[in-house]
Amino acid sequence: MASIHPSADIAAESTIGEGTRVWQFVVILRGARIGGNCNICAHSLIEGDVVIGNNVTIKSGVFLWDGTRIEDDVFIGPNATFTNDPMPRSKVYPDAFSGITVRRGASIGANATLLPGITIGEHAMVGAGAVVTKDVDEYSVVVGNPARVVRKLSDD
């Protein structure tokens, strides 16, 4: 069974897996699917067309917008910024949102910004404060603005 703080606002039509913890002032919209054994920290928002795998940690202040796909064993640091609209304008909406995909085992550092439509590869690491403007290959470590590869991790 999931553990949900009483101040969290969870739509009845969302799915939350066994063992997941949802903390204070989290908002989860109708249709969102969250796996088991996740930790969704305080002051986070998850829109309806979001899929989150198992064993995912989402630290405080993270907003996941429609189209976002998070695979298993991902870590998302505090205040990491996900986007889904490449040309945002007030009251002007795209035909489809460009979600972000974060592959299995990847880590996103605090305050990193991820632009729409990118994929973070398996076991990649995005450094704190990085601005990611294009796909990140698996096992790559990226830092800076714009983010650039500074090294590769081994797969063992």
Side-chain angles (χ1 to χ4, degrees), residues 49-73:
D49 181 24
V50 172
V51 178
I52 299 171
N54 298 313
N55 305 312
V56 173
T57 297
I58 299 173
K59 299 305 277 184
S60 297
V62 174
F63 301 159
L64 299 178
W65 308 109
D66 283 338
T68 302
R69 301 294 183 263
I70 308 294
E71 293 184 357
D72 295 346
D73 305 312

Tab-separated table of all heavy atoms in Angstrom, residues 49-73:
chain	number	residue	atom	x	y	z
A	49	ASP	N	-0.544	13.046	-17.927
A	49	ASP	CA	0.097	12.214	-18.936
A	49	ASP	C	1.574	12.026	-18.589
A	49	ASP	O	2.470	12.353	-19.360
A	49	ASP	CB	-0.059	12.826	-20.333
A	49	ASP	CG	0.582	11.972	-21.418
A	49	ASP	OD1	0.728	10.752	-21.212
A	49	ASP	OD2	0.960	12.537	-22.463
A	50	VAL	N	1.804	11.529	-17.364
A	50	VAL	CA	3.156	11.261	-16.877
A	50	VAL	C	3.202	9.808	-16.423
A	50	VAL	O	2.285	9.337	-15.752
A	50	VAL	CB	3.539	12.205	-15.717
A	50	VAL	CG1	4.859	11.795	-15.084
A	50	VAL	CG2	3.597	13.646	-16.199
A	51	VAL	N	4.292	9.112	-16.785
A	51	VAL	CA	4.489	7.732	-16.356
A	51	VAL	C	5.824	7.666	-15.631
A	51	VAL	O	6.856	8.086	-16.164
A	51	VAL	CB	4.482	6.758	-17.552
A	51	VAL	CG1	4.750	5.329	-17.081
A	51	VAL	CG2	3.164	6.846	-18.304
A	52	ILE	N	5.794	7.136	-14.406
A	52	ILE	CA	6.979	7.008	-13.566
A	52	ILE	C	7.141	5.535	-13.210
A	52	ILE	O	6.184	4.889	-12.773
A	52	ILE	CB	6.838	7.861	-12.288
A	52	ILE	CG1	6.691	9.337	-12.666
A	52	ILE	CG2	8.012	7.637	-11.343
A	52	ILE	CD1	6.319	10.247	-11.515
A	53	GLY	N	8.348	5.001	-13.372
A	53	GLY	CA	8.615	3.598	-13.086
A	53	GLY	C	8.736	3.309	-11.607
A	53	GLY	O	8.259	4.063	-10.752
A	54	ASN	N	9.407	2.216	-11.283
A	54	ASN	CA	9.604	1.773	-9.900
A	54	ASN	C	10.919	2.316	-9.347
A	54	ASN	O	11.859	2.590	-10.085
A	54	ASN	CB	9.653	0.240	-9.849
A	54	ASN	CG	8.358	-0.375	-10.317
A	54	ASN	OD1	7.269	0.017	-9.912
A	54	ASN	ND2	8.474	-1.356	-11.202
A	55	ASN	N	10.969	2.450	-8.016
A	55	ASN	CA	12.194	2.843	-7.297
A	55	ASN	C	12.718	4.201	-7.738
A	55	ASN	O	13.928	4.406	-7.828
A	55	ASN	CB	13.289	1.779	-7.473
A	55	ASN	CG	12.824	0.417	-7.062
A	55	ASN	OD1	12.249	0.243	-5.991
A	55	ASN	ND2	13.025	-0.556	-7.929
A	56	VAL	N	11.818	5.127	-8.007
A	56	VAL	CA	12.192	6.475	-8.448
A	56	VAL	C	12.129	7.433	-7.264
A	56	VAL	O	11.180	7.381	-6.470
A	56	VAL	CB	11.258	6.951	-9.585
A	56	VAL	CG1	11.510	8.417	-9.933
A	56	VAL	CG2	11.421	6.070	-10.811
A	57	THR	N	13.121	8.305	-7.156
A	57	THR	CA	13.111	9.368	-6.144
A	57	THR	C	12.947	10.699	-6.850
A	57	THR	O	13.723	11.035	-7.751
A	57	THR	CB	14.429	9.377	-5.345
A	57	THR	OG1	14.542	8.141	-4.634
A	57	THR	CG2	14.471	10.539	-4.366
A	58	ILE	N	11.923	11.436	-6.436
A	58	ILE	CA	11.683	12.784	-6.951
A	58	ILE	C	11.751	13.719	-5.758
A	58	ILE	O	10.891	13.694	-4.884
A	58	ILE	CB	10.315	12.871	-7.652
A	58	ILE	CG1	10.292	11.908	-8.842
A	58	ILE	CG2	10.024	14.310	-8.076
A	58	ILE	CD1	8.942	11.784	-9.507
A	59	LYS	N	12.806	14.521	-5.708
A	59	LYS	CA	13.001	15.418	-4.574
A	59	LYS	C	12.064	16.628	-4.680
A	59	LYS	O	11.371	16.822	-5.677
A	59	LYS	CB	14.467	15.858	-4.492
A	59	LYS	CG	15.449	14.710	-4.300
A	59	LYS	CD	15.140	13.850	-3.091
A	59	LYS	CE	15.698	14.437	-1.827
A	59	LYS	NZ	15.490	13.574	-0.646
A	60	SER	N	12.057	17.449	-3.643
A	60	SER	CA	11.114	18.562	-3.526
A	60	SER	C	11.251	19.568	-4.660
A	60	SER	O	12.344	19.811	-5.178
A	60	SER	CB	11.333	19.283	-2.194
A	60	SER	OG	11.057	18.420	-1.121
A	61	GLY	N	10.111	20.142	-5.038
A	61	GLY	CA	10.083	21.230	-6.004
A	61	GLY	C	10.182	20.818	-7.446
A	61	GLY	O	10.468	21.646	-8.307
A	62	VAL	N	9.919	19.544	-7.751
A	62	VAL	CA	9.994	19.066	-9.128
A	62	VAL	C	8.588	19.005	-9.713
A	62	VAL	O	7.681	18.456	-9.097
A	62	VAL	CB	10.667	17.671	-9.202
A	62	VAL	CG1	10.612	17.112	-10.608
A	62	VAL	CG2	12.100	17.764	-8.704
A	63	PHE	N	8.416	19.572	-10.908
A	63	PHE	CA	7.143	19.534	-11.621
A	63	PHE	C	7.348	18.716	-12.891
A	63	PHE	O	8.199	19.044	-13.712
A	63	PHE	CB	6.661	20.940	-12.000
A	63	PHE	CG	6.469	21.862	-10.819
A	63	PHE	CD1	6.468	23.227	-11.009
A	63	PHE	CD2	6.292	21.385	-9.526
A	63	PHE	CE1	6.276	24.096	-9.950
A	63	PHE	CE2	6.110	22.243	-8.456
A	63	PHE	CZ	6.096	23.604	-8.668
A	64	LEU	N	6.562	17.651	-13.046
A	64	LEU	CA	6.657	16.792	-14.221
A	64	LEU	C	5.426	17.026	-15.080
A	64	LEU	O	4.304	16.735	-14.663
A	64	LEU	CB	6.768	15.324	-13.800
A	64	LEU	CG	7.999	14.987	-12.953
A	64	LEU	CD1	7.988	13.523	-12.558
A	64	LEU	CD2	9.286	15.355	-13.663
A	65	TRP	N	5.652	17.542	-16.286
A	65	TRP	CA	4.581	17.966	-17.187
A	65	TRP	C	4.183	16.845	-18.132
A	65	TRP	O	4.918	15.889	-18.329
A	65	TRP	CB	5.032	19.203	-17.968
A	65	TRP	CG	5.545	20.286	-17.067
A	65	TRP	CD1	6.841	20.687	-16.927
A	65	TRP	CD2	4.785	21.077	-16.147
A	65	TRP	NE1	6.932	21.695	-15.997
A	65	TRP	CE2	5.681	21.953	-15.494
A	65	TRP	CE3	3.439	21.149	-15.803
A	65	TRP	CZ2	5.281	22.880	-14.532
A	65	TRP	CZ3	3.039	22.067	-14.845
A	65	TRP	CH2	3.943	22.927	-14.227
A	66	ASP	N	2.999	17.007	-18.741
A	66	ASP	CA	2.475	16.013	-19.678
A	66	ASP	C	3.535	15.579	-20.684
A	66	ASP	O	4.284	16.403	-21.217
A	66	ASP	CB	1.265	16.571	-20.441
A	66	ASP	CG	0.003	16.592	-19.608
A	66	ASP	OD1	-0.084	15.835	-18.615
A	66	ASP	OD2	-0.924	17.362	-19.949
A	67	GLY	N	3.564	14.272	-20.937
A	67	GLY	CA	4.503	13.699	-21.894
A	67	GLY	C	5.784	13.182	-21.267
A	67	GLY	O	6.586	12.534	-21.937
A	68	THR	N	5.995	13.444	-19.974
A	68	THR	CA	7.216	13.004	-19.300
A	68	THR	C	7.161	11.505	-19.036
A	68	THR	O	6.145	10.985	-18.581
A	68	THR	CB	7.400	13.764	-17.971
A	68	THR	OG1	7.455	15.168	-18.235
A	68	THR	CG2	8.669	13.330	-17.257
A	69	ARG	N	8.275	10.820	-19.295
A	69	ARG	CA	8.398	9.390	-19.033
A	69	ARG	C	9.674	9.158	-18.228
A	69	ARG	O	10.770	9.497	-18.679
A	69	ARG	CB	8.469	8.578	-20.334
A	69	ARG	CG	7.250	8.752	-21.235
A	69	ARG	CD	5.986	8.184	-20.587
A	69	ARG	NE	4.812	8.273	-21.430
A	69	ARG	CZ	3.888	9.240	-21.351
A	69	ARG	NH1	4.027	10.231	-20.473
A	69	ARG	NH2	2.840	9.220	-22.137
A	70	ILE	N	9.507	8.585	-17.043
A	70	ILE	CA	10.623	8.315	-16.144
A	70	ILE	C	10.691	6.805	-15.937
A	70	ILE	O	9.732	6.205	-15.448
A	70	ILE	CB	10.427	9.010	-14.771
A	70	ILE	CG1	10.114	10.505	-14.924
A	70	ILE	CG2	11.622	8.756	-13.865
A	70	ILE	CD1	11.211	11.332	-15.498
A	71	GLU	N	11.806	6.187	-16.299
A	71	GLU	CA	11.943	4.744	-16.144
A	71	GLU	C	12.390	4.391	-14.722
A	71	GLU	O	12.551	5.270	-13.871
A	71	GLU	CB	12.908	4.198	-17.193
A	71	GLU	CG	12.357	4.329	-18.601
A	71	GLU	CD	13.242	3.725	-19.672
A	71	GLU	OE1	14.354	3.234	-19.355
A	71	GLU	OE2	12.817	3.727	-20.844
A	72	ASP	N	12.602	3.111	-14.447
A	72	ASP	CA	12.951	2.616	-13.114
A	72	ASP	C	14.290	3.158	-12.623
A	72	ASP	O	15.193	3.444	-13.407
A	72	ASP	CB	13.056	1.083	-13.120
A	72	ASP	CG	11.733	0.391	-13.414
A	72	ASP	OD1	10.675	1.042	-13.349
A	72	ASP	OD2	11.779	-0.817	-13.709
A	73	ASP	N	14.397	3.262	-11.278
A	73	ASP	CA	15.664	3.547	-10.576
A	73	ASP	C	16.257	4.908	-10.914
A	73	ASP	O	17.475	5.087	-10.884
A	73	ASP	CB	16.696	2.443	-10.871
A	73	ASP	CG	16.170	1.058	-10.544
A	73	ASP	OD1	15.616	0.878	-9.443
A	73	ASP	OD2	16.286	0.158	-11.405
